[in-house]
Every structure is written in structure tokens, then in C-alpha cells.
Amino acid sequence: MDTHRFFEVATELFEVLGVSSMVLGFVFAFFLAVRTWRRSGDGARAFKTLRESLGGAILLGLELLVAADIVKTVTSPPSLTDAAVLGVIVLIRTVLSLSIEIEIEGVAPWRKALVTGPQVLAHAARTSADPDRTPDR
């Protein structure tokens, strides 16, 4: 397999992983929310669990899609158009990631320690497993 084909496959793999993580993350988030609702009977808590875990899945997916765009741009023949397109895509996805993170955490990332998508999912899983645990960190 030549180098160009390898990086095409790597890019496609990152894209599939990014979208898959969002889809599977939705299923996982929905499962956690239902489990939280059944164990605690608190709809608001279940909704918060759904928001946190779905937000974490979306953040993880966005990070993987940005990685795919970077690999695609770095391995293609250099052009200003490709660099500009990558810059706009990364900017849009960064703004989306920041707004989702602020929505989940309630504070801007620079005011609180950075939390990654997988950490948000893990927190949502722990919260849904223990009905006596408070949803706040």
C-alpha cells in the first residue's frame, strides 16, 4: 500500500470513528438517562445525565473529525485554499466544542479545569449508576 492510500484510509477511519462515537454516544447517553430515571425517579436528574453524556460524545466526535481534517490537509498537495478550508473547519468545530462544553459545565473552560469528552461520559456513567450521588461535581 502506498503512502497516499494509507493516509486516505486513515482519514476515512478518523471520520468513521468521529461519526460512530457520536451515534454510539447518543445510544449510551439515552441508556444512562433511562437508567438514572428508573433508579432515582428524578426526571431533571435524568435529563442532566442525558445532556452531559451526549455532550461528551459530541465533543469526542468533534475532536476525531478535526483530526481527520488535519490528516487530510497535511497529506494533500499544499495549497492556500486547502489551508483556509481547514482553518475555517477547525474554527467552526472549536466554537462548537467550546459552546457545548460551556453548556455542559456551566462555566467557561478557562475558569475550570479542562474536561475531555471521555471524562464527561465517565462522570455521567458514574452518576447514573449511583442514585444517591449528586449530579454536581
Side-chain angles (χ1 to χ4, degrees):
M1 179 184 300
D2 66 2
T3 323
H4 180 70
R5 180 68 186 137
F6 171 78
F7 286 115
E8 281 181 1
V9 171
T11 300
E12 290 171 6
L13 181 63
F14 272 119
E15 289 172 344
V16 167
L17 287 172
V19 173
S20 297
S21 71
M22 287 188 226
V23 171
L24 293 174
F26 167 76
V27 172
F28 184 66
F30 188 77
F31 168 76
L32 289 177
V34 168
R35 188 170 78 170
T36 301
W37 180 63
R38 282 188 176 166
R39 289 184 177 185
S40 70
D42 185 1
R45 184 174 181 175
F47 179 71
K48 182 173 173 88
T49 299
L50 177 66
R51 279 182 43 163
E52 285 182 353
S53 54
L54 183 57
I58 291 171
L59 286 172
L60 177 62
L62 285 173
E63 290 170 3
L64 290 168
L65 291 172
V66 166
D69 290 331
I70 291 170
V71 170
K72 188 185 304 181
T73 302
V74 169
T75 59
S76 67
S79 75
L80 286 176
T81 304
D82 287 345
V85 167
L86 175 65
V88 169
I89 289 171
V90 169
L91 178 67
I92 290 169
R93 291 188 178 154
T94 301
V95 169
L96 282 172
S97 293
L98 282 173
S99 63
I100 291 170
E101 193 167 333
I102 290 169
E103 184 70 25
I104 291 170
E105 297 295 322
V107 296
W110 51 89
R111 296 192 160 241
K112 189 173 182 181
L114 185 62
V115 177
T116 64
Q119 287 172 325
V120 172
L121 287 172
H123 173 72
R126 283 191 305 272
T127 303
S128 72
D130 184 6
D132 297 325
R133 185 182 187 122
T134 66
D136 298 325
R137 300 201 160 129

